[in-house]
Amino acid sequence: MADYARVEMQQTTTVQSEDSGVIAFRPDNPGLISVVAVPDKTKTQTEENFLAQLDLFKPGSAKAVASYKAPMGSAHLGVSYTATAADMAVAGNWTCRLTNGTLVPLTFSTTIAYISTYPLQTASFDIALLQTLLTQIVSDAQLRLHLQSSASKDDVRSRISWSPSVATMLGASAHDFHLDDINYDTNEISSLLPDLDILPNPLVFEYAFETGVLAAPTFDRAQVAFVMTLPFGPTVIQCADPTTLEIDVASLQVTVTVGLDGRLSATCQAKAEANYHGVGVKDLSGAIQDAVASAAGGGIPPAVLFQYFERFFVSLMRLNDTPPPSRFGLGSQQPFHGQAHVASYSVSGDALVVSFYTVPQPVVVVAHQ
Amino acid sequence: MSYPVISSGALAPNAVLTVRFRPALAGWVNVNVTGGAPLPPLRLDVMKPGSTAAAVSRTSAQMPAGAQALFVDVAASTTELAADWTATVTNTGTAPATVTATVRYPTTPGPLGEIDHVVVLMMENRSFDHMLGFLSLAGNSAVDGLKGNESNQDVAGTPIPVHHLGTTTIGHDPGHGWTDVDEQLSKDASGRPNAGFVKNYIRQLTSPTTLDRPMVLAGGTSSSVAFRLGFPCTITVTAFAANIPSNLHSASGQLGTIVLFRPGQTTAAAQSSTPLGSALLKLTYDATPADVASGGMWTCTVTNASDATVAFDTTVSYVASLAASQSGQLTIAAEDTATLTFAPTAVGPLTIVVTPVHGGTTLRSELNLLARIELRRPGVAKPIATQNAPLHATELVINHTVTAADLAAPGNWTCAVSNETLSSVTFSTRVSFSTAIPAADIMGYYNANDVWQYAFLAKNFLLFNRWFASLPTDTWPNRLYSLTGGSGGLTTTPSGSDVTSNPPGYTLTTIFEVLQAHGVDWNIFFGNIPFALIFRHLAQDASYTSRMRPFAELVSRAAVGALPKVSWIDPSFSDAKYDALPNDDHPPIDVEPGQRLVHDIYAALASGPAWSKTLLVCVYDEHGGLYDHVTPPGSPTAPGGPPTPGGPADDQPTLQRYGVRIPAFAVSAWVPPGSVTNGTYDHTSLLATILRRFCKAADGSVPSMGKRTDAAADLGSLLTLTAPRTPPPPAPSAPATATAAVAATAASPTSFGTVLHKSLFGF
């Protein structure tokens, strides 16, 4: 019989101004789930007139089952929810989202308590070795990124792809996603376009960028995330409408931050200019940066990334409760004793700490003839 | 006083750093001085108890940052242990300096006490005779190598003698699992042992080709199947009558006959008849080398001897040739061309498939073409086949049948792949063709030019005549023995699919856990993947993984005498992906990178200040299926049998036997040059040496790592010199070795490196 355990999971999360952070966890049984977050500041500047907000989500749901919006001066935020058996039938991670309503970064010390069948275990891995192995793994995985915009969300043209052997592991040869075209307000350049009257507003630009094989990411201890810089070559973005207006992108570099919890964000440095009949008319670096960063940061759902990382660390750190294979005289490998699931990641000194729990496999009774 | 004695200080010009110490036992004292910044000239003096005059002095010129500064070795007798010794470091330059002085001396009695650093390099899959057998042929009679008259018979009984390989590569990865080794060690008809290497290799390479030919034959009619034999083998023809009428009649009383004809002959090579009442016609024939040499098409004729129509499912099984394939990826710049090379050496189909991997959605082309491929014979400029692919094609394919005329001109074939687009495009490529069966390779050996670093080690250090793999099987069980003293019963490397779906978590106690528990410093220095990550206790604890460091760190730390007590080196494993050049010697790779690796390790240790306190053991995990003439102790009298007396002690009785002999050297200031030991060793001797040197308790007890390790000989008795000797200069760069380019073959799905990568990373 499994031991039912009340699990307390603690995590420290820094959330930037007017931004959000997500903590994932996985209860195994119905029962009370409670989340308490303590911010490091209770009174500071705000434009939104609240300190912070805490939302609790079931797996795969965008609607919070419990929320609390803390006014300025609150010492803590708390929500609770009693998970039902029906809730537990949906597999996956639960998440709590912390939103910073102030104009300064806030650091939350969060305690999540829930019913888990099995107690959490921890394992640690040296970050320097992880970084060394990452160089190899990313090279072996042959990761490539193709960004291509389109007008309709149903027209999916962007893709992150990987090697055939990774495809075999993940069960997918690529992840496809949609990026919006750049829409540009004609009025901003009206004085420079003599045929403005016949042009639609906004002007629509389709863009496409492609990387070579991605370079090795670096591990960011503070964010518990991999950071990867993607340089793209110079390119020209044609306006979709019949005009000689085009955007000349002299340089473009996207920095993608992939949290081990699945969060994906991106920043972009670009040098771009609108050209009309070959003459530069307006610096569009900011517009390109915003569009690409927004697009690249929304490419892959957090749950998908979380599962990829979970699979990787379960394998690398031998987290499954698996007996040694091929005991002499027994022939082939024995089945799992237990499948590991990652609850959270954190950094302690020079080590990545993985909190995980192991779900034993059901015992299979073989009927003897 | 903690050990080693280390003292650091900032020295102004003419200032002196003084270190006092008292050797625990008689033996040799090593004092070395290093600095982290450019060092001014220094003087090192070592004074024995009661003396103000230096027993030894050394001076150094100005040295760059990180360089070794000074070291001395001085003998301490039993009468010189009662009082403190003094070492002084004097800054004789004009600039300040920060220096560190480290003093080492014996802390345990016996020869092992002189060693403070054990360095182990475990390579992959080569046998003793294959790598070192040349030494006896070259006149070194102490080495139990080749005599030149050793041979194995092939399947037709033709002797394949040992011979020098023409290149530093070998074409394939021979079998080396448990059943393979049993077959390799088996006796031939005349009772000679170790007689199955060639047969095992041929069996591995020659999986039969099967032709299926359904025939519907009216009563009294015949039909024939033609095929081309590529290798001496057993030809098997079967014809199964699937619909025999219940009232079938035959004047001859036979259901049918099968007749086999050699090429161009009308006289049967063999024939077989099957009477009524049976549904299966069957014929077997053992084709000889002379049969194959004639070339041409063989024919087998099936005749329905009954008076009714019968459907026969006819199958012909034989060895056509050895199928080979090369796979890879090419990234080709816009409107540029790259070339594939390959070398079919047997008649048969040749297929080239080129597939764009990336970039297809946005490509533009002036000719509206994606790519063009052109196949050429050796030395012929005109293509024999071409294909153009439109812009959005998904693949390009060329099929060609290689004929005997094609093979008349030796050399590489080529396929030019031209990217016709305006963007860089990555293509995956696969070339499939037939090759002759290189049965003789398994009996090949290298010479002093090929394995130049081992020729150097054999001349200058100690060679093991009888170091056996711990088990007669492949990599994982042997490496488990080397790190844990056992394999937990594992007798074969898990398959790639097994470790992907069910990553093993080994819980055997490793030497690293024992060292850590005893406060002994250790590191793993790895080329591409540390093997020890397969152990769960290590992989889940950063205090262990933090000790797994890239190989380059070993070199830099050796240069300043900062190696840990135990260094374990994993070379860059073959097939473990990544773009690092593999240097583990795992067939089929070139042995040259492995020679360079050993050279670099030796050069780093020999030039470091702790040379006199260091023991390097260079060894292989197992023989890799390559020929060796010595039968390992404990080998069964027949394949699959129980171990015989003379094998090693082991916790598992069925594992009381060794694997095949492998190359091994002990490299140290304490071994005589050109020496050879005939003692029996296996990988647990590494553990025995480390445990008895670094983990011995005050009462003399040593932690147990199983019966095999407890009983294993350590290397202490081999350190026979009474004073450390100066290391000979490293061997010069490789001579003009006949190195052949290794064809870019696809990683074997069952190879050690592939399985390790899948096991750790999931793909």
Side-chain angles (χ1 to χ4, degrees):
Chain A
M1 289 292 292
D3 294 327
Y4 280 68
R6 180 85 180 159
V7 174
E8 278 199 358
M9 172 182 159
Q10 295 180 323
Q11 183 143 343
T12 301
T13 310
T14 298
V15 181
Q16 298 302 313
S17 165
E18 298 186 339
D19 200 354
S20 296
V22 174
I23 302 171
F25 62 99
R26 195 177 298 188
D28 285 305
N29 284 281
L32 182 67
I33 298 171
S34 62
V35 184
V36 176
V38 179
D40 62 340
K41 304 179 189 70
T42 57
K43 293 181 180 178
T44 184
Q45 295 173 288
T46 177
E47 289 181 349
E48 301 296 331
N49 202 30
F50 72 101
L51 176 68
Q53 180 165 331
L54 177 60
D55 301 289
L56 178 65
F57 299 91
K58 294 192 287 190
S61 172
K63 183 181 178 183
V65 295
S67 296
Y68 177 67
K69 194 169 188 176
M72 196 60 62
S74 301
H76 64 269
L77 302 80
V79 296
S80 64
Y81 175 76
T82 301
T84 66
D87 292 331
M88 290 297 108
V90 180
N93 282 335
W94 292 56
T95 53
C96 66
R97 183 175 67 196
L98 288 160
T99 302
N100 177 1
T102 77
L103 296 176
V104 299
L106 289 181
T107 297
F108 296 91
S109 297
T110 306
T111 301
I112 303 171
Y114 55 89
I115 299 293
S116 175
T117 311
Y118 312 103
L120 281 179
Q121 306 169 64
T122 59
S124 60
F125 200 90
D126 182 62
I127 290 173
L129 179 62
L130 177 63
Q131 182 68 64
T132 301
L133 296 177
L134 272 178
T135 303
Q136 170 170 350
I137 294 162
V138 171
S139 171
D140 295 343
Q142 295 281 298
L143 295 177
R144 293 168 187 270
L145 182 63
H146 174 76
L147 298 178
Q148 185 172 2
S149 69
S150 60
S152 165
K153 293 198 181 305
D154 295 331
D155 187 4
V156 176
R157 299 186 184 183
S158 294
R159 154 175 291 205
I160 183 166
S161 59
W162 37 71
S163 71
S165 53
V166 175
T168 300
M169 175 184 74
L170 298 179
S173 60
H175 177 80
D176 297 325
F177 54 100
H178 164 78
L179 295 182
D180 284 328
D181 291 335
I182 297 174
N183 296 318
Y184 197 71
D185 187 344
T186 315
N187 294 327
E188 290 193 30
I189 48 177
S190 59
S191 62
L192 302 166
L193 296 176
D195 50 358
L196 177 66
D197 292 345
I198 64 170
L199 292 177
N201 191 14
L203 286 171
V204 177
F205 293 90
E206 292 181 347
Y207 61 93
F209 301 103
E210 192 150 27
T211 64
V213 175
L214 299 186
T218 55
F219 186 78
D220 185 310
R221 297 174 190 225
Q223 300 187 74
V224 197
F226 296 126
V227 180
M228 196 180 305
T229 299
L230 318 175
F232 295 87
T235 190
V236 175
I237 302 174
Q238 302 288 343
C239 179
D241 302 298
T243 176
T244 52
L245 188 69
E246 60 189 22
I247 301 175
D248 186 0
V249 182
S251 65
L252 180 68
Q253 180 169 288
V254 181
T255 300
V256 179
T257 302
V258 189
L260 297 188
D261 58 4
R263 285 176 298 161
L264 184 69
S265 62
T267 60
C268 177
Q269 292 293 318
K271 180 69 176 171
E273 189 176 41
N275 288 323
Y276 183 70
H277 286 298
V279 177
V281 294
K282 187 170 180 63
D283 185 345
L284 294 181
S285 301
I288 293 292
Q289 288 173 179
D290 292 346
V292 174
S294 172
I300 304 180
V304 173
L305 280 174
F306 182 86
Q307 287 177 358
Y308 288 168
F309 285 130
E310 181 180 70
R311 192 173 305 194
F312 170 71
F313 282 107
V314 166
S315 179
L316 179 66
M317 299 175 71
R318 337 303 286 170
L319 299 180
N320 283 336
D321 182 8
T322 311
S326 298
R327 280 272 170 191
F328 192 81
L330 293 181
S332 61
Q333 293 192 69
Q334 302 300 295
F336 283 124
H337 283 171
Q339 172 72 50
H341 297 277
V342 173
S344 66
Y345 303 90
S346 60
V347 170
S348 176
D350 292 328
L352 173 70
V353 179
V354 180
S355 295
F356 69 102
Y357 58 94
T358 306
V359 179
Q361 298 296 288
V363 175
V364 178
V365 178
V366 180
H368 293 283
Q369 298 296 318
Chain B
M1 184 180 293
S2 62
Y3 182 85
V5 181
I6 299 175
S7 181
S8 296
L11 294 182
N14 298 316
V16 177
L17 173 70
T18 300
V19 186
R20 298 189 192 287
F21 59 94
R22 187 178 302 183
L25 294 167
W28 284 79
V29 177
N30 171 260
V31 183
N32 70 66
V33 181
T34 56
L39 288 173
L42 300 172
R43 190 181 73 240
L44 170 62
D45 299 298
V46 178
M47 278 72 72
K48 293 187 175 183
S51 173
T52 55
V56 289
S57 293
R58 293 282 187 278
T59 58
S60 68
Q62 185 165 335
M63 303 192 77
Q68 163 199 324
L70 281 170
F71 71 93
V72 296
D73 292 303
V74 56
S77 68
T78 52
T79 60
E80 297 169 330
L81 308 178
D84 283 353
W85 293 42
T86 306
T88 60
V89 182
T90 306
N91 181 354
T92 57
T94 57
T98 298
V99 300
T100 298
T102 304
V103 181
R104 294 183 173 88
Y105 43 76
T107 56
T108 60
L112 276 179
E114 301 289 359
I115 299 299
D116 256 21
H117 306 285
V118 173
V119 181
V120 178
L121 168 65
M122 182 165 278
M123 304 285 277
E124 280 282 305
N125 292 34
R126 300 279 175 167
S127 72
F128 184 101
D129 280 347
H130 173 72
M131 298 293 270
L132 304 178
F134 73 93
L135 290 166
S136 53
L137 292 173
N140 189 339
S141 58
V143 175
D144 187 6
L146 294 169
K147 294 182 172 62
N149 59 356
E150 296 87 351
S151 67
N152 265 200
Q153 293 177 348
D154 67 12
V155 290
T158 306
I160 306 292
V162 293
H163 60 280
H164 176 232
L165 287 165
T167 71
T168 50
T169 62
I170 190 166
H172 299 273
D173 181 14
H176 44 280
W178 190 285
T179 55
D180 292 310
V181 181
D182 265 4
E183 181 178 6
Q184 290 159 1
L185 298 177
S186 64
K187 297 175 180 174
D188 62 14
S190 61
R192 289 193 309 169
N194 295 24
F197 283 85
V198 169
K199 288 178 181 173
N200 176 264
Y201 192 41
I202 291 171
R203 188 172 55 74
Q204 179 199 358
L205 296 179
T206 56
S207 53
T209 296
T210 301
L211 286 179
D212 291 318
R213 290 287 186 275
M215 301 171 176
V216 179
L217 300 179
T221 64
S222 301
S223 183
S224 297
V225 179
F227 59 96
R228 188 186 299 274
L229 202 62
F231 193 77
C233 64
T234 299
I235 301 170
T236 303
V237 186
T238 59
F240 179 70
N243 65 335
I244 298 177
S246 57
N247 57 347
L248 190 65
H249 296 286
S250 167
S252 64
Q254 303 292 324
L255 170 65
T257 60
I258 301 175
V259 185
L260 180 69
F261 298 96
R262 295 185 186 89
Q265 295 194 10
T266 54
T267 304
Q271 70 179 58
S272 168
S273 297
T274 299
L276 286 177
S278 172
L280 180 66
L281 285 64
K282 183 172 182 180
L283 176 149
T284 61
Y285 175 74
D286 290 329
T288 66
D291 287 334
V292 177
S294 62
M297 300 297 287
W298 291 59
T299 308
C300 74
T301 300
V302 179
T303 300
N304 176 6
S306 75
D307 56 6
T309 298
V310 177
F312 290 95
D313 292 334
T314 304
T315 300
V316 184
S317 176
Y318 63 103
V319 177
S321 62
L322 183 61
S325 66
Q326 295 176 194
S327 297
Q329 284 200 338
L330 291 174
T331 298
I332 307 176
E335 299 187 313
D336 202 355
T337 299
T339 302
L340 304 169
T341 61
F342 44 93
T345 54
V347 296
L350 164 66
T351 302
I352 301 167
V353 180
V354 176
T355 307
V357 178
H358 297 288
T361 54
T362 58
L363 293 176
R364 291 181 294 143
S365 166
E366 292 182 350
L367 300 175
N368 204 34
L369 288 178
L370 169 68
R372 173 182 175 85
I373 57 176
E374 298 177 336
L375 172 65
R376 291 181 174 83
R377 291 191 191 94
V380 180
K382 183 181 178 183
I384 58 174
T386 64
Q387 193 191 26
N388 294 321
L391 193 55
H392 298 296
T394 55
E395 68 177 17
L396 298 88
V397 178
I398 286 179
N399 285 305
H400 175 74
T401 300
V402 177
T403 65
D406 286 334
L407 298 173
N412 281 333
W413 294 50
T414 61
C415 180
V417 182
S418 299
N419 173 9
E420 300 289 349
T421 76
L422 301 176
S423 304
S424 173
V425 177
T426 298
F427 298 92
S428 70
T429 63
R430 182 174 178 81
V431 185
S432 306
F433 51 91
S434 298
T435 65
I437 296 169
D441 282 1
I442 207 75
M443 301 298 287
Y445 60 81
Y446 295 125
N447 65 18
N449 274 352
D450 305 326
V451 288
W452 50 277
Q453 180 63 25
Y454 289 165
F456 169 82
L457 294 185
K459 178 182 177 185
N460 292 286
F461 297 99
L462 184 142
L463 177 149
F464 293 83
N465 261 341
R466 291 171 61 81
W467 190 306
F468 297 92
S470 289
L471 286 184
T473 185
D474 48 18
T475 288
W476 281 45
N478 275 296
R479 285 192 176 265
L480 290 180
Y481 262 84
S482 71
L483 296 175
T484 72
S487 68
L490 187 76
T491 55
T492 188
T493 297
S495 75
S497 58
D498 277 353
V499 298
T500 304
S501 61
N502 189 8
Y506 291 95
T507 53
L508 300 165
T509 300
T510 65
I511 184 66
F512 307 119
E513 291 156 270
V514 178
L515 290 173
Q516 197 132 318
H518 285 74
V520 179
D521 194 18
W522 63 273
N523 281 103
I524 293 168
F525 298 102
F526 63 91
N528 51 7
I529 300 177
F531 176 77
L533 279 176
I534 70 165
F535 295 101
R536 180 179 295 160
H537 297 157
L538 306 186
Q540 295 186 8
D541 187 337
S543 70
Y544 294 113
T545 47
S546 63
R547 293 176 177 272
M548 301 176 188
R549 310 297 307 153
F551 171 75
E553 202 169 291
L554 174 128
V555 175
S556 60
R557 289 174 65 175
V560 294
L563 285 179
K565 301 285 190 193
V566 176
S567 300
W568 193 280
I569 303 172
D570 283 342
S572 285
F573 293 123
S574 304
D575 286 350
K577 299 200 172 84
Y578 200 35
D579 52 5
L581 180 68
N583 55 17
D584 63 348
D585 280 356
H586 194 304
I589 73 164
D590 194 331
V591 295
E592 170 60 22
Q595 293 296 288
R596 175 62 52 190
L597 172 68
V598 179
H599 169 278
D600 292 348
I601 294 167
Y602 171 73
L605 298 177
S607 62
W611 160 254
S612 64
K613 292 290 179 185
T614 302
L615 168 63
L616 165 66
V617 185
C618 174
V619 69
Y620 285 72
D621 65 339
E622 43 109 347
H623 78 304
L626 295 152
Y627 177 74
D628 189 77
H629 77 276
V630 173
T631 301
S635 294
T637 53
T644 52
D650 200 285
D651 296 302
Q652 168 58 260
T654 55
L655 302 183
Q656 291 177 349
R657 53 181 293 202
Y658 289 121
V660 177
R661 216 167 45 131
I662 43 85
F665 292 97
V667 179
S668 169
W670 299 91
V671 299
S675 53
V676 174
T677 176
N678 290 311
T680 299
Y681 298 84
D682 82 332
H683 304 330
T684 58
S685 292
L686 297 167
L687 302 177
T689 302
I690 293 168
L691 291 170
R692 291 166 200 169
R693 169 60 188 90
F694 299 116
C695 301
K696 186 179 283 186
D699 63 1
S701 64
V702 173
S704 174
M705 292 190 74
K707 286 183 179 176
R708 176 90 70 117
T709 305
D710 293 346
D714 64 49
L715 274 54
S717 63
L718 305 175
L719 309 174
T720 55
L721 296 184
T722 55
R725 61 187 175 97
T726 304
S733 297
T737 307
T739 302
V742 181
T745 53
S748 164
T750 58
S751 75
F752 162 63
T754 302
V755 172
L756 183 60
H757 196 284
K758 284 178 178 284
S759 170
L760 296 178
F761 305 145
F763 67 96

